[in-house]
Amino acid sequence: MQRLKLVIGFHLCLWLLVVGAWADAPANFTWSSAPGGPFTASSVDFEAWMTKLALFQFGGDYVFDFLDPTDADNNDNDVLDINEFALLTAICNNTSHPLHDTIHEAFKTNWSSFASHQGGLVNSLAPALAIMGGAYATLGDGDYGRTPAAWFSGSWGSVAEILYELSTYGSSWNAGQPAEPPYVRRQAYMSACGDFDGDGVKNINEWYGQGENVANYVNAAMDPGITTSGEDPSSVCETGLRWGKTYFYNPANQHVYWLQPYTLPWEIAEQVATEHSLVNNASETIPIPGHLVTIDDSAENAWIMSTVYPQINSNMWIGATDKFTEGQWVWVATGEQFWQGTASGNPVGGKYVNWNSGEPNDSSGEDYGEITSSGGWNDNKASATRRGLVEFPNAYPDSDSNGIPDYWEQFSGGGGEGEGTPEGTPEGTPEGTPEGTPEGEEPCEFEGRINNPTTGQGPLLAQTLADASSQLRNLLTALGMLSWFNWDIEYLEQVIAMIRPYPGDGLKDSWSMALLEYCICHPNFRPDLNIPTDFDFNKNLFTDDCTWLAMNVDPIFAALPPMVGDVMAGLLGSSVEMRTTWNAIFLALTGGAVGLPSVNNYRIYGMAKANDGAIAANGDLDGDGKTNLQEANEVIAVGGGMELFVLAATDKTNMWPGNPEIPVGSIAILGAITGVIVAGSSLILVRRQRKS
């Protein structure tokens, strides 16, 4: 019964949203032409909606056949989209989950944004199309971090593809991509390479770890206690480029080829080919422009058919066109003519040709070349859509004969989705926005700066200290504290003070800094504590102190503020214990220089008494009567980590998953009530949108 209440609450919410849009449909429109009867919006059923859309005819064409749930893998990750949507369905139905609002609000925002970009006529299709577009946008991934044009890759590409198919009927389509909308991507949680429950196991590994069973996968993806990790057979996340799947190397001519992940018109496929770029590292995007393939001889044609074609078993665009002058067929990459006339014409300059019998025939103005299942070529019209086969012009040696040319090896690692998105790509709330940030709000510049385990200032600080002197390195090594995430600064203090070591205050420094980040990025949370103001004060003071140290001790201190200013200002304001510790460390670094700045000038965040700062171990940031350390211990007891700790320590109601004090039944009842409240709010939202 409790689960039923949850489902009813969510279904009521979505039903009201859909009916609000459905009311705008033209009176003469019906879904009767779609198999299975008329459209219904009484439940969340992505499979039913995808099926109806895939089989819907418009002007004699199945315009959305790429949404067929039986084979739709528009994300190109070897997991059917319908199975990825199962996780989205589950989190939207679970109103008590702490990530429910983060995902569900993004879904609703995307649904609304997509509806607004469909155009006038398409209001008749609004219910299913807008929800499917919103769902794909919420998954939010491109081609897993190595994308040439984010609007035509991954789930992002489905948004673009649907809108493109609707462009003839009046959708908002501008210069090859949707007009910039406030879509909200949630790829860090929802995509195959995301980690929904934060347990360190990517969603795709959860999928294969559960034997590709949908129900078990959803359960594992939402439960941080289930960490069974399976394979990633196509190296979706382990390698950014999928060699032998979408990228191919031809050792005969040492060229690299790329099979575009989406069906596009020839003109747009060629445009995407020329804008191809790859991410070399987190900050450098290298343009590698190509063109639709030029086929020089029978050996290359045969290689394409044996190597690339079996990946899709469908016609592909090649770089042949007579769009410039009718009957003069040229390769778009070079402008060289290779054929003159129609089927009765002749090759030019001894160039290789492989037209199918009776082709090219210019039927209805066909100016663009494609390669077909026989390996022969056909001419097709501008409105046809195919996946393009792109060829990159330079020769690339492969010295180790591993099938990946040497230069391209640098693009084969990493591959987390979301990297490499071209500047200017509409993203709504960018990746890294803290949970709870209103949709569309600017990202917080401090999010992850301190606590990112690879790029944050915390790890840099640990390394800086370790490199400062062999004594400190040996000490940190002996204490197992070279990793920022293992720090407990009070423990270090006791050792430096030559007191018998004990496990400190129990709250890792990275967890304390995570609370600080939360407060800085959410200035309306506990404004009475003035934490952002104190943080700015500490940053300025730390810069002044380092200036003094650079002048009186060693010039190297001048480099500290830009390197680790945020984490140092954060640590020095966390608690009195932190000050004492850093005073000892400064003494060790400087040899007790005369006139050393006093650490007592730093402000303690929300300090109520001598050793009680709001983000310290014995502080109570959310004011619920529990210290931050108590919150941490409860989170650890249920297998949670730093992310869940932040939720618990900033939630006065203690409504976080796994809280031992909250009965499961209470969560379900609260969820059902919340669903009804959200449903009512959604109805008001729909009415406002219709009036506007």
Side-chain angles (χ1 to χ4, degrees), residues 395-436:
Y396 295 97
D398 176 21
S399 60
D400 57 5
S401 301
N402 67 347
I404 305 176
D406 304 337
Y407 177 80
W408 289 68
E409 298 270 8
Q410 63 184 309
F411 307 114
S412 296
E417 81 294 307
E419 297 176 344
T421 303
E423 290 186 9
T425 298
E427 292 191 352
T429 303
E431 180 52 33
T433 300
E435 296 170 15

Side-chain angles (χ1 to χ4, degrees), residues 593-660:
V594 177
L596 192 68
S598 173
V599 294
N600 292 324
N601 294 327
Y602 290 90
R603 295 179 181 177
I604 299 294
Y605 306 122
M607 187 177 74
K609 54 187 179 182
N611 295 330
D612 188 9
I615 66 173
N618 60 348
D620 180 11
L621 181 59
D622 56 7
D624 62 357
K626 295 181 180 179
T627 67
N628 298 327
L629 181 57
Q630 287 175 311
E631 305 265 23
N633 288 335
E634 287 185 356
V635 166
I636 293 170
V638 297
M642 182 173 65
E643 186 172 292
L644 188 57
F645 162 69
V646 172
L647 287 176
T650 58
D651 182 4
K652 189 173 183 177
T653 64
N654 287 315
M655 295 297 291
W656 52 272
N659 188 338

Side-chain angles (χ1 to χ4, degrees), residues 246-477:
T246 54
Y247 285 85
F248 306 87
Y249 179 64
N250 184 351
N253 60 11
Q254 295 189 327
H255 280 194
V256 171
Y257 300 74
W258 172 54
L259 178 60
Q260 294 175 339
Y262 268 85
T263 60
L264 305 169
W266 190 96
E267 292 284 359
I268 295 181
E270 170 62 13
Q271 176 189 344
V272 169
T274 62
E275 295 173 352
H276 189 279
S277 60
L278 293 168
V279 176
N280 184 32
N281 54 45
S283 61
E284 184 179 7
T285 300
I286 299 177
I288 307 182
H291 290 279
L292 291 175
V293 62
T294 297
I295 304 178
D296 293 320
D297 51 45
S298 60
E300 184 177 16
N301 202 85
W303 177 85
I304 290 171
M305 294 307 298
S306 64
T307 305
V308 183
Y309 190 88
Q311 298 300 318
I312 58 170
N313 291 310
S314 183
N315 294 2
M316 299 177 289
W317 289 129
I318 59 177
T321 181
D322 71 341
K323 69 172 185 171
F324 304 107
T325 303
E326 183 61 39
Q328 293 184 13
W329 283 88
V330 301
W331 293 112
V332 69
T334 62
E336 291 182 291
Q337 185 179 0
F338 64 90
W339 182 264
Q340 177 65 46
T342 55
S344 59
N346 298 288
V348 174
K351 299 292 185 180
Y352 172 74
V353 295
N354 194 37
W355 292 111
N356 282 333
S357 177
E359 304 294 346
N361 59 16
D362 196 37
S363 175
S364 302
E366 296 177 330
D367 297 329
Y368 305 98
E370 63 181 345
I371 189 168
T372 67
S373 59
S374 65
W377 308 344
N378 175 57
D379 58 341
N380 210 329
K381 55 189 178 182
S383 60
T385 58
R386 301 284 186 265
R387 292 173 72 170
L389 181 59
V390 178
E391 182 178 14
F392 303 101
N394 296 333
Y396 295 97
D398 176 21
S399 60
D400 57 5
S401 301
N402 67 347
I404 305 176
D406 304 337
Y407 177 80
W408 289 68
E409 298 270 8
Q410 63 184 309
F411 307 114
S412 296
E417 81 294 307
E419 297 176 344
T421 303
E423 290 186 9
T425 298
E427 292 191 352
T429 303
E431 180 52 33
T433 300
E435 296 170 15
T437 299
E439 310 302 347
E441 185 174 297
E442 289 295 320
C444 177
E445 64 175 309
F446 296 102
E447 184 70 13
R449 186 182 296 184
I450 297 174
N451 281 293
N452 186 300
T454 57
T455 61
Q457 288 189 354
L460 179 60
L461 173 62
Q463 191 61 48
T464 301
L465 288 175
D467 293 342
S469 72
S470 58
Q471 179 184 1
L472 277 175
R473 172 177 287 276
N474 293 337
L475 177 61
L476 293 170
T477 302

